[in-house]
Amino acid sequence: MKIAIHAFDGMTMFHLAVPLLVFGEVGRLGLAEGWETTVFTETGLPVRSAEGYLIGDVAGPAGAADAELVVFPSWLNHLPEPSDALLRLVRGSHERGATIAGLCLGAFAVACSGVLDGRTAVTHWRAAGDVSALANAVDFDDSALYIDHGDVLTSAGTASALDACLHIVRTRIGSAAAAAVARQIVVAPHRDGDQAQYIARPLPDPEVDGPLGRTIQWALANLDQDLEVEAMAAHATMSTRNFSRRFKEVTGLSPARWVLGRRLDDARQLLETTRWSVTRIAESCGFGSAVTFRQNFVAAYSTTPTSYRNRFTDR
């Protein structure tokens, strides 16, 4: 997959580095062949970052001409309107079938092109009001980590670009690849947000040790067992109240919500990689029945387990 990443004068190195790092790791880890990244600017000339570094060896707009994914990692804080040439590039790339990604304030540049008109997008929470006023044909949600329409993806601010890029890896080449990249760059491949997210199981925080850390590891290895909060607290030899409080401090989630998320993550991986029946997957992942599994899956991802599986087997 050829990936074109837009750079401009005044962008931060972090915003540019995120897609270069995540997509570059796919090739460096040997997870897929042919993943190539190109940095392009409107003029084809070097640009200077917000930190003062000169970014050279860049392509011009032609660098995005045959890209399958065109990424706008950021935009200037005062939200200047993109040039007509850049907007034509976004629209033209979209029309020929490329996926467009607007990360952080890059969502503004994408929204200005019209490819998101009438749809929902996300950007940095601090700029959501200003972006909504300037690109009023798009409904901006300030709570999601990212929103993927299939042809256009937008993400929230700064580190959420990591979530979005890992999501792209997962949808292209699977959850195992996304997890491998996440481990390599030492981030969790999953962070809960308010939107359904097709990304892989989170890794336990390596700094969580003691009874709580051991219980998290035990729960991940025994998702088919009784993982009610009382059982988890007993494993950690803690009171239910204290366990629930500490668990939420560490994971950001209640034990019940965390367990459900992990069971759904396991189920997705089994749907992708096995031909097990829905009933067998439901049992293996700790759901009481196939019906309960389907209900939770649809509620989380707005698709059935069977439809989700077909998405991967038909690629």
Side-chain angles (χ1 to χ4, degrees), residues 10-15 48-55:
M11 78 180 307
T12 68
M13 294 296 293
F14 179 86
H15 286 109
R48 193 168 294 278
S49 75
E51 298 83 1
Y53 299 110
L54 190 66
I55 303 168

Coordinates of all heavy atoms in Angstrom, one line a residue, residues 10-15 48-55:
G10 N 5.4 24.8 9.7 CA 4.8 25.0 11.0 C 4.2 23.9 11.6 O 3.7 24.0 12.7
M11 N 4.2 22.7 11.0 CA 3.6 21.5 11.6 C 4.6 21.0 12.7 O 5.8 21.2 12.6 CB 3.3 20.4 10.6 CG 4.4 19.6 10.1 SD 3.9 18.4 8.9 CE 2.6 17.5 9.8
T12 N 4.1 20.3 13.7 CA 5.0 19.7 14.7 C 5.6 18.4 14.2 O 4.9 17.7 13.4 CB 4.3 19.5 16.0 OG1 3.3 18.4 15.8 CG2 3.6 20.7 16.5
M13 N 6.8 18.1 14.7 CA 7.4 16.8 14.3 C 6.6 15.6 14.7 O 6.6 14.6 14.1 CB 8.8 16.8 14.8 CG 9.8 17.8 14.3 SD 10.1 17.6 12.5 CE 11.0 16.1 12.5
F14 N 6.0 15.7 15.9 CA 5.2 14.6 16.4 C 4.1 14.2 15.4 O 3.9 13.0 15.1 CB 4.6 14.9 17.8 CG 3.8 13.8 18.3 CD1 4.4 12.8 19.1 CD2 2.4 13.7 18.1 CE1 3.6 11.7 19.6 CE2 1.7 12.7 18.7 CZ 2.3 11.7 19.4
H15 N 3.3 15.2 15.0 CA 2.2 14.9 14.1 C 2.7 14.2 12.8 O 2.0 13.3 12.3 CB 1.4 16.1 13.7 CG 0.6 16.6 14.9 ND1 0.9 17.8 15.6 CD2 -0.6 16.1 15.4 CE1 -0.1 18.0 16.5 NE2 -0.9 17.0 16.4
R48 N 9.7 23.8 7.1 CA 10.3 23.9 8.4 C 9.2 23.6 9.4 O 8.1 24.2 9.4 CB 10.9 25.3 8.6 CG 11.8 25.3 9.8 CD 12.6 26.6 9.8 NE 13.6 26.7 8.7 CZ 14.8 26.1 8.7 NH1 15.2 25.4 9.7 NH2 15.6 26.2 7.6
S49 N 9.6 22.7 10.4 CA 8.6 22.3 11.4 C 8.5 23.4 12.5 O 9.3 24.4 12.5 CB 9.1 21.1 12.1 OG 10.2 21.3 13.0
A50 N 7.5 23.3 13.3 CA 7.3 24.2 14.4 C 8.5 24.3 15.3 O 8.7 25.3 16.0 CB 6.0 23.8 15.2
E51 N 9.2 23.2 15.4 CA 10.4 23.2 16.3 C 11.6 23.8 15.6 O 12.7 23.9 16.3 CB 10.7 21.7 16.7 CG 9.6 21.0 17.5 CD 8.5 20.5 16.6 OE1 8.6 20.6 15.4 OE2 7.5 19.9 17.2
G52 N 11.5 24.1 14.3 CA 12.6 24.7 13.6 C 13.4 23.8 12.8 O 14.4 24.3 12.2
Y53 N 13.0 22.6 12.6 CA 13.8 21.6 11.8 C 13.4 21.7 10.4 O 12.2 21.8 10.1 CB 13.6 20.2 12.3 CG 14.1 20.0 13.8 CD1 13.2 19.8 14.8 CD2 15.5 20.1 14.1 CE1 13.6 19.6 16.1 CE2 15.9 19.9 15.4 CZ 15.0 19.7 16.4 OH 15.4 19.5 17.7
L54 N 14.3 21.6 9.5 CA 14.0 21.6 8.0 C 13.7 20.1 7.6 O 14.5 19.2 7.8 CB 15.2 22.1 7.2 CG 15.0 22.4 5.8 CD1 14.0 23.5 5.6 CD2 16.3 22.7 5.0
I55 N 12.5 20.0 7.0 CA 12.1 18.7 6.5 C 12.3 18.7 5.0 O 11.6 19.3 4.2 CB 10.6 18.4 6.9 CG1 10.4 18.5 8.4 CG2 10.2 17.0 6.4 CD1 9.0 18.6 8.8

